[in-house]
Structures are given as C-alpha cells and as structure tokens.
C-alpha cells in the first residue's frame, strides 16, 4: 500500500468508525424512547420509534456498502481487515436491536387499552435501563478500542437474563391467578424477551470489539440462562 | 485481473457457493430433526439438535473468513462482489435459523413431562414443514441463481405468519380455559414464534439471492403480520 492509498484507507476507516458511532447513538435513542413510551404509556412516542426504525436500517445499508467497497478497493490486511469485518457485524447487531425496539413500540400501542400493571412495567423499564447502560459501555469500548472493557460488558449480561427469568415467573403466576390477565401478560412476556435479546446483541457487539482489538474470538460460552426463560412446568403448576 | 487471478477467484467463488449449500443442507437437517423430535416427543433427537448447533456456527465462521479473504485478495467488482456479500448475509441468516432450531429443541426437553397437546403440536409441525419447503426452494434459487424463484419465496411467507397468528389465538384461549395449561402453552407460544422467525430468515435469504442476481434490493416491504402475533386484548377478553 503506497502512502496515498494508506491515507485514503485511513480516512475510510475513520468514516466507518464514525458511522458506527452514529448508528449506536441512533439505536440508543430508539431504546431510550421506547423505554419512556413504556414508562409513561405514551402512544405518540411509541409511534415515533416505529417511524424512526427505517433510519436505523438505512444506516446499516450505508455501513455495509462502505465496508465492502473499502475491502475491495484497499485490500486491507490483519487488524485493518478486522476493523471492517467488525463494523459489519456491529451494524448487523444494531439493526436487530432497532427491530426489537420497534417491536416493543408496536406492542405498547396494542396494550394501550389495558389496565397498566405498573409494578411489572417498572421491572421492564429497569431491564431496558440495564441494556442502555451496557450499550453505552460497549460503544465506549469500541471508540477507545478497549478489549478489557468489552470483555467486562460481555461478562455482565446475566443481570438482564436474571430479571427476565424472574419477570417470566411473575407473569405466569399473574396469568394463572386470573384469565383476564393472560392477553396483556403475553404481550409483556414478549416485551421482556425482546429486551433480553437486546442484551444478547450488546454482548455480540462486545465480542466484535474484542475480535477487532485482539484478533481472536471469545469462544468460551457465557453462562447463558436462556433455557430458564420459562421455568419447568412442575415448579409452577397449581 | 489477469487470467491466473481470474481463475483463482472463480475457484474461490465456487468454494463459497458450495459452503453455502453445505450450510443450507445442515440447517435443513437441524430443522427437520427438531420437527420429528416435536412430532414424536423424542428427547434424544432434541439433544442431537442441541449438540449439532456448534457445527452450524463453525460453518458460518468458515464462510465469513473465506469471504473476507477473497474480497481482500481478489478485489472483485460488481456481480462478483455481490456474490460474496450475499454469501455473508445468507450464512448469517442460516446461523440464526440454527439457533432457533436449537431453542425449540431445548423447549422440547422442558416440555417432556407435560401432557402433549397433540392437536397443537400437529399445527406446529405443519408450520415447520412449510418453512422446510420454503428453505428448499430458496436453496434451489441460490444454486440456480434464479431471481424469479427467489421473489416467489419472498412473497410466500404469509402462510407461516397466518398459522402463527391462528395458533396464538388458540393457545391464549387454551390458557384462559385452565390455568394448568399456561406453562406449556407459553413454551409452545415461543416455539411458534421461533418457527415464524425461521420463516422470516428464509425470506431474508430470498432477498439476498435476489440482490446477488439482480444487483438491487427488494425494498417494498412484504405485508407483514408481526403485529398480529398476539390479538388485541379486546378481542379475547372474557
């Protein structure tokens, strides 16, 4: 790579980094907005999240295009190549987080005629807060190329999983107590699952940051509580 | 690109195509096995699916690595570049379909002490059959680079969505009738959702095939019934 190409390539990489930061900020905004919509039972805010999802999708397409053109044009090797592949992966996870926020927003609109179960909603909001916090940290680890911070985020997903499992038990009990609770509980069950999956995507982003910086993949699986999302039937049967 | 490079590049592309076909066959096998496990209530088969998921993940890593090295080494342009980017996207969708099969397998193991609700299970099995059928067709469209067939698969996702919605209503009614039905119904609710999402990934693969062949993206959104996965509370309230 001659000096001119090297400079042009460096510019490409900086642009890609700034696109990822922009997309990360956009997804954060979407998740925070859906959290407020949930908390305040605000249909107008939920609508806003649904409308803005297309912007997140457009950012992903832009990043993908730029990444591929950069690989083809500059033939990067080693760490530079990882930067680009990592950006592709991160954009993919952000796009899916955007979809999950959009899905929660749609459920909020469906729920608006229900009695709002405040206590459960507060727990959902708390789960979202944890995800937003993790997302901020992983964006920071990306900006600073900090593998140690990424690793910490990666190890820190259990709390969201744990809250999800506890909320699931609660919702099931709620459903068993009164059939009139079943429909909205089912919506909230899916909201909780969506938030848990957002947390999983943050973990994926942490893996990508680690891969970019360290050049190897985090292979040891985190202790993952997915199986526990619904407790064994026997423990709940009345 | 000189003749030697062109030949080497062509070989790279053929390898990538054959890796995608192999991964597609592997995912098909996983989905078919989980379908039989569901149908026959076979815990050993479900275990097999869980164990085999790592192979699907490994295939994705292999494809990603090969794709990136090929882009960097050969600097492909236009249709060749699309082939590689398309392969990356398809491998990503296959990997997620594998995860969904794995998740259903885990739920089968949790369900094994339950009374098996045969009628509902049969409907789930039928949903999986439709997905397997769509998957076979999209793999064929990829092998033959047939944009028209891909478009047909893309337009054909509604039946799985429709079945999912109808099953959801049924499961909710089931839950309302007797609280003892709630726990396993919740598992089956998530199984149905997982199958519906498999169908969405097949649709994504169809989009990727179309993009590879035609060089443009299918932008008009399909009529998507996701909002309907849980019927409005009012229509079900007892």
């Amino acid at each position: 790579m001659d000096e001119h190409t090297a400079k042009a390539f460096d510019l490409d990489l900086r642009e890609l980094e700034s696109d990822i930061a922009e997309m990360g900020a956009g997804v954060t905004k979407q998740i925070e907005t859906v959290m407020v919509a949930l908390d305040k039972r605000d249909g107008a805010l939920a609508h806003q999240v649904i409308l803005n999802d297309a912007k997140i999708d457009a950012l992903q397409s832009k990043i993908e295009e730029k990444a591929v053109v950069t690989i083809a044009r500059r033939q990067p090797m080693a760490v530079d190549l990882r930067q680009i592949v990592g950006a592709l992966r991160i954009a993919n996870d952000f796009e899916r987080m955007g979809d999950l926020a959009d899905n929660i927003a749609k459920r909020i609109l469906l729920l608006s005629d229900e009695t709002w179960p405040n206590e459960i909603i507060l727990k959902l909001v708390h789960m979202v807060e944890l995800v937003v916090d993790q997302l901020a940290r992983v964006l920071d680890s990306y900006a600073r190329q900090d593998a140690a911070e990424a690793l910490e985020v990666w190890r820190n997903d259990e709390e969201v999983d744990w809250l999800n499992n506890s909320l699931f038990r609660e919702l099931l009990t709620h459903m068993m107590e009164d059939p009139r609770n079943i429909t909205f509980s089912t919506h909230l069950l899916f909201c909780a699952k969506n938030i848990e999956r957002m947390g999983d995507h943050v973990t994926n982003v942490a893996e990508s940051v680690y891969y970019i910086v360290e050049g190897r993949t985090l292979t040891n699986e985190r202790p993952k509580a997915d199986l526990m999302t619904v407790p064994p039937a026997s423990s709940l049967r009345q």
Side-chain angles (χ1 to χ4, degrees), chain A:
Chain A
M1 209 184 265
D2 64 30
E3 203 187 334
H4 171 74
T5 315
K7 266 191 189 156
F9 177 65
D10 204 52
L11 202 65
D12 287 344
L13 278 192
R14 296 295 85 76
E15 269 185 37
L16 212 47
E17 274 173 29
S18 113
D19 288 343
I20 289 287
E22 184 190 345
M23 192 176 177
V27 169
T28 304
K29 182 82 189 301
Q30 287 285 84
I31 297 174
E32 283 174 341
T33 308
V34 91
M35 179 172 73
V36 177
L38 200 59
D39 198 20
K40 308 282 181 218
R41 197 179 164 166
D42 187 331
L45 272 184
H47 262 300
Q48 197 179 305
V49 170
I50 295 165
L51 286 174
N52 279 335
D53 188 47
K55 289 185 196 163
I56 304 291
D57 293 351
L59 273 170
Q60 190 201 9
S61 300
K62 184 182 159 196
I63 289 168
E64 194 177 72
E65 202 173 304
K66 199 176 284 184
V68 167
V69 168
T70 305
I71 297 176
R73 218 187 261 158
R74 317 284 182 207
Q75 300 177 272
M77 286 292 154
V79 65
D80 293 332
L81 193 52
R82 292 205 306 273
Q83 283 282 0
I84 301 173
V85 174
L88 276 172
R89 287 185 191 162
I90 292 171
N92 187 33
D93 280 302
F94 283 165
E95 190 268 333
R96 283 150 75 186
M97 293 176 80
D99 281 349
L100 292 165
D102 173 78
N103 193 274
I104 294 172
K106 285 172 179 163
R107 290 188 192 277
I108 290 174
L109 293 180
L110 287 182
L111 273 170
S112 55
D113 286 341
E114 296 295 318
T115 319
W116 209 239
N118 281 314
E119 208 185 316
I120 294 173
I121 293 290
L122 276 181
K123 288 188 183 173
L124 281 176
V125 168
H126 181 53
M127 279 176 75
V128 181
E129 278 170 354
L130 288 174
V131 169
V132 168
D133 183 54
Q134 286 272 89
L135 179 55
R137 290 178 61 206
V138 87
L139 280 168
D140 185 62
S141 77
Y142 176 75
R144 299 193 297 105
Q145 303 274 298
D146 184 337
E149 191 179 13
L151 193 62
E152 215 177 300
V153 172
W154 188 72
R155 287 192 177 128
N156 217 18
D157 189 42
E158 283 84 8
E159 199 177 346
V160 173
D161 288 353
W162 186 88
L163 276 171
N164 183 37
N165 292 335
S166 125
L167 200 54
F168 262 64
R169 284 168 195 272
E170 207 170 313
L171 283 167
L172 288 194
T173 309
H174 214 54
M175 287 156 114
M176 286 170 184
E177 278 163 11
D178 187 342
R180 283 172 300 183
N181 294 336
I182 287 180
T183 303
F184 80 76
S185 296
T186 305
H187 273 299
L188 297 180
L189 215 75
F190 276 97
C191 285
K193 187 75 190 163
N194 284 345
I195 299 167
E196 189 218 3
R197 285 174 57 213
M198 283 181 180
D200 289 342
H201 288 298
V202 172
T203 307
N204 290 349
V205 174
E207 284 179 20
S208 296
V209 172
Y210 190 88
Y211 160 80
I212 289 170
V213 181
E214 295 289 326
R216 56 205 159 81
T217 311
L218 284 165
T219 42
N220 294 330
E221 268 197 29
R222 270 175 323 125
K224 180 70 186 128
D226 183 58
L227 245 185
M228 291 299 294
T229 46
V230 180
S234 52
S235 73
L236 265 159
R237 217 178 227 167
Q238 292 193 319

